[in-house]
Amino acid sequence: MIEIAFLAGILGILIAAFLTWDVLRKNAGNQKMKEIANAIQSGSSAYLLRQYKVISVFAVILAIILYISLNWQTALGFLLGAFLSALAGFIGMNISVRANVRTAAIASEGLKKAFGLAFKAGAVTGLTIVSLGLLGISFLYILFGDPKLLVGFGFGASLISLFARVGGGIYTKAADVGADLVGKVEKGIPEDDPRNPAVIADNVGDNVGDCAGMGADLFETYVVTALAAMLLATTTINIIYPLVLGAVAIIATIISIFFVRLGKSESIMGALYKGVIVASIITAIGFYYATINLNLEINLFYTSLIGLFVTAAMIIITDYWTSKKYSPVKSIAESSKTGPGTNIITGLAVGLKSTFIPVIIISLGIIFAYMLGGLYGIAIAAMAMLSMTGIIISIDSFGPITDNAGGIAEMSGLPENTRKVTDALDAVGNTTKAVTKGFAIGSAGLAALVLFSAYVDTVYSLGISNFVLDLMNPKVLVGLFIGASLPFLFSSFCMQAVGRAAFKIVNEVRRQFKEIPGIMEFKAKPDYAKCVDIVTAAAQKELIIPGLIAVLAPLIVGFVFGLYALGGLLGGIIISGLLLALQMTTGGAAWDNAKKYIEEGNFGGKGSDAHKAAVVGDTVGDPFKDTAGPAINPLIKVVNIIALLFAALIASFALM
């Protein structure tokens, strides 16, 4: 049965290749559009290659450590996981920076064609991520035959995800904040105005942050969830079952992609959600037949339905808190009428409040899945949730593609009717990105819980049969406090990094407006490359400390205080990390859409005092939703996987 997973992965890659061919054969527009697109492409590629050079140093060092301290299989799996995670991000970014200009070009032919092209390009990323993940896991299981030897693969994927999320998040938000503060607030020029020296860096950031970053994030969540489920399995069939579910979902995703079409009276969001609904239905039917054919208990099928239910609930809830249609975003927009202070207060309140219902949904999912299938049932619910990654990422990647398409249309001076099409697509893209982050955080929370259970099982296997994480044990309590504080410490470094990088961009943009006469009159061209270079260098420098926190914290706590403290640390980081990530990403997206709601003509529209206040709020929310918040996901899983890998060594060498 393992061959089914391997073949499904190959099928997904082949369909992604076909979609890539179909997208790239479309017209890339006029010469000016191509020049702008080439600048975005070269900036994105330069950043990603530079980032991978930095990461490769860490990867080689860690692979050597794993080889010496553990075994060659773990070291090999680590390198393969890192390579495939990087490859998934690279492919996603490359199709995005080529589809953006083609979407802008075809927008002159109408909304339907532009929508179809942007979604196809997004589907390339979605299919690539799940297919590479399933291929990697199934290949290593065929090679080694022991899921314990596959943990290194998850570690490699998580490490790349962490760096991609942190580095890409710093890049995209430093460029965005710098461009907005000077361009919109000080100079009063529109977003994506070619006179803004940071405009190319801003468009590059959409790709390295939202495409490469999100791609690597959900790749590693998909991988570690499957691995954790395999580790908790008690029979060979149970080990294979999560991979079969992944294979079923890839086929369902391929079918659902061809259902995503924009009807005459259908909304853009409705067309996208149609793909999710079709994928969910086909996936559920496939899960049933997979469970029956593997002669497994029907309760496991019911746990998979719980995972699908949690996915749907997270999408609906996130849409409510972040969409311009509902009261949370409108309340932030209205509060902007009295200035930035009330905007920020309301935005923080919305973000804090938005954490409660998702936690209740996840908690109910955990309880019912445990009642039906124990810890393995929770793992299957998490795997079922992650099985939707293909279609969810397809929708997510739609966002940066349409965002860039709008920017290219603005910078190249395309007609108003074309801009109306790209603006309509971009408006929906902002919502899809917010919804995907909610899905990513919810799935990360379930995945981390499964990893935590695998850690406890690993400790039991070491002969410590009385291992209980009792809160009356001071070591457990110490670990719990340290673990709960890590997401806050980690996030502070991410936020400060954005602030420092944005400071450099603001000064550079101001310098260019001052020292290059004629920019505002379109008589001189800004130095776009300088801003790209500044933010690239800043992002590479700033990602090192957050990466070290993730890798060293569990090792230090484990080797100094022992396995009980390490268990407490895992529990603490899961709980506080889940809540903080939800608050940051949802609140940040609500701030962003409140600004856009005002820009549509509400509460005074563009240029009003309310709009200026909303821009300030969005400036705070940007690093919340695109840097620190999403980066907490891989942080949680890196810490859990390191605990899994080094539990045996810690048991032997702990100081206390």
Side-chain angles (χ1 to χ4, degrees):
M1 294 296 288
I2 189 68
E3 290 80 8
I4 294 175
F6 191 81
L7 291 174
I10 292 176
L11 177 63
I13 294 295
L14 291 175
I15 298 296
F18 168 75
L19 292 174
T20 301
W21 168 81
D22 193 34
V23 168
L24 295 183
R25 69 191 182 96
K26 298 294 191 297
N27 176 36
N30 58 43
Q31 187 59 37
K32 190 172 184 180
M33 294 170 67
K34 290 176 182 177
E35 288 177 5
I36 296 168
N38 287 336
I40 296 171
Q41 290 171 26
S42 60
S44 301
S45 297
Y47 168 78
L48 212 57
L49 291 172
R50 191 165 172 178
Q51 177 173 275
Y52 288 163
K53 286 180 182 178
V54 174
I55 297 172
S56 64
V57 175
F58 281 88
V60 170
I61 293 171
L62 286 170
I64 293 171
I65 292 172
L66 292 172
Y67 175 77
I68 294 172
S69 60
L70 298 174
N71 50 64
W72 68 268
Q73 293 96 331
T74 300
L76 176 63
F78 170 79
L79 290 174
L80 182 61
F83 171 74
L84 291 181
S85 181
L87 180 62
F90 190 78
I91 291 173
M93 187 206 70
N94 269 278
I95 186 65
S96 175
V97 296
R98 284 161 177 79
N100 53 16
V101 67
R102 289 167 171 80
T103 301
I106 206 171
S108 62
E109 300 178 31
L111 182 62
K112 186 175 181 179
K113 287 188 176 181
F115 169 83
L117 181 63
F119 179 75
K120 281 182 183 178
V124 172
T125 305
L127 280 176
T128 299
I129 287 168
V130 291
S131 299
L132 287 179
L134 200 60
L135 274 174
I137 299 171
S138 55
F139 169 75
L140 288 179
Y141 185 71
I142 292 170
L143 187 64
F144 299 145
D146 184 355
K148 293 179 181 178
L149 296 175
L150 273 61
V151 178
F153 182 78
F155 183 29
S158 294
L159 186 72
I160 294 295
S161 171
L162 180 70
F163 283 120
R165 263 304 188 195
V166 174
I170 293 169
Y171 187 112
T172 184
K173 289 305 106 182
D176 193 9
V177 169
D180 280 357
L181 285 180
V182 183
K184 286 186 176 181
V185 177
E186 295 182 10
K187 294 295 182 180
I189 59 178
E191 189 171 355
D192 295 320
D193 192 296
R195 292 172 291 180
N196 194 324
V199 70
I200 294 296
D202 188 11
N203 279 274
V204 169
D206 292 331
N207 296 290
V208 300
D210 288 323
C211 284
M214 178 60 83
D217 184 354
L218 279 174
F219 175 87
E220 65 95 10
T221 303
Y222 182 88
V223 164
V224 300
T225 303
L227 288 174
M230 294 168 74
L231 288 169
L232 291 174
T234 54
T235 67
T236 302
I237 295 298
N238 282 344
I239 290 173
I240 295 172
Y241 185 52
L243 303 184
V244 174
L245 296 185
V248 167
I250 285 179
I251 296 169
T253 298
I254 292 170
I255 296 171
S256 67
I257 285 170
F258 296 98
F259 277 85
V260 180
R261 298 173 182 271
L262 190 61
K264 289 183 179 180
S265 59
E266 191 173 22
S267 69
I268 298 171
M269 205 70 201
L272 293 172
Y273 281 160
K274 183 168 61 178
V276 177
I277 293 169
V278 171
S280 300
I281 293 171
I282 297 174
T283 297
I285 294 170
F287 284 176
Y288 173 78
Y289 284 105
T291 307
I292 296 300
N293 289 331
L294 289 173
N295 295 318
L296 293 169
E297 294 181 6
I298 196 65
N299 277 0
L300 289 179
F301 166 67
Y302 296 143
T303 63
S304 72
L305 293 184
I306 290 173
L308 295 178
F309 168 77
V310 172
T311 298
M314 290 299 294
I315 289 174
I316 294 169
I317 292 166
T318 307
D319 185 54
Y320 170 76
W321 287 103
T322 60
S323 174
K324 291 176 289 185
K325 296 182 294 184
Y326 303 111
S327 60
V329 167
K330 290 181 180 179
S331 69
I332 299 173
E334 186 173 13
S335 71
S336 303
K337 293 191 295 183
T338 50
T342 46
N343 171 284
I344 291 171
I345 291 170
T346 308
L348 286 172
V350 167
L352 291 167
K353 194 184 295 184
S354 70
T355 63
F356 183 71
I357 297 178
V359 167
I360 296 299
I361 293 295
I362 292 170
S363 299
L364 290 173
I366 290 169
I367 289 172
F368 287 122
Y370 184 82
M371 289 170 61
L372 290 168
L375 291 176
Y376 185 67
I378 297 174
I380 293 303
M383 186 61 202
M385 187 175 184
L386 264 300
S387 71
M388 298 297 293
T389 296
I391 189 66
I392 296 294
I393 282 289
S394 300
I395 292 173
D396 176 78
S397 296
F398 173 88
I401 290 168
T402 55
D403 191 349
N404 271 198
I408 292 170
E410 174 77 28
M411 286 184 277
S412 57
L414 294 184
E416 185 65 24
N417 64 319
T418 301
R419 276 295 287 165
K420 285 182 179 179
V421 171
T422 57
D423 284 348
L425 294 172
D426 184 23
V428 173
N430 285 313
T431 301
T432 64
K433 288 187 285 186
V435 165
T436 307
K437 288 183 178 72
F439 167 80
I441 294 166
S443 60
L446 277 179
L449 180 65
V450 177
L451 283 172
F452 178 70
S453 301
Y455 169 77
V456 174
D457 269 13
T458 299
V459 176
Y460 284 150
S461 71
L462 298 175
I464 308 175
S465 57
N466 61 340
F467 184 73
V468 177
L469 297 174
D470 187 349
L471 289 180
M472 297 304 293
N473 183 333
K475 290 184 180 180
V476 174
L477 203 57
V478 166
L480 193 67
F481 276 120
I482 294 173
S485 70
L486 281 180
F488 293 89
L489 178 66
F490 177 86
S491 297
S492 73
F493 278 104
C494 293
M495 295 287 288
Q496 285 181 323
V498 171
R500 284 190 290 265
F503 178 80
K504 294 177 182 178
I505 290 296
V506 167
N507 285 335
E508 174 59 24
V509 174
R510 285 173 176 168
R511 182 195 69 79
Q512 291 196 33
F513 276 124
K514 182 179 179 180
E515 297 181 6
I516 304 177
I519 288 181
M520 287 298 292
E521 295 78 24
F522 294 98
K523 294 178 181 179
K525 187 177 179 181
D527 185 357
Y528 301 126
K530 183 65 175 177
C531 289
V532 171
D533 184 65
I534 288 173
V535 78
T536 297
Q540 301 307 309
K541 178 183 175 183
E542 299 284 1
L543 63 79
I544 294 174
I545 293 179
L548 289 175
I549 289 173
V551 173
L552 295 179
L555 294 176
I556 293 172
V557 169
F559 281 110
V560 173
F561 297 108
L563 294 173
Y564 285 95
L566 183 55
L569 180 136
L570 300 184
I573 198 171
I574 290 170
I575 294 170
S576 76
L578 174 64
L579 291 169
L580 186 60
L582 282 170
Q583 185 261 326
M584 284 185 150
T585 55
T586 308
W591 260 314
D592 187 8
N593 279 334
K595 178 196 69 175
K596 288 181 169 58
Y597 182 73
I598 293 173
E599 288 174 345
E600 290 175 353
N602 300 291
F603 304 120
K606 290 183 180 180
S608 65
D609 289 340
H611 182 237
K612 291 176 181 178
V615 170
V616 175
D618 181 40
T619 302
V620 177
D622 270 343
F624 267 44
K625 70 180 175 67
D626 289 327
T627 307
I632 293 173
N633 295 347
L635 167 72
I636 295 171
K637 283 163 286 180
V638 166
V639 169
N640 275 268
I641 289 176
I642 289 176
L644 266 177
L645 284 171
F646 290 94
L649 280 177
I650 289 170
S652 302
F653 296 103
L655 299 177
M656 298 177 67

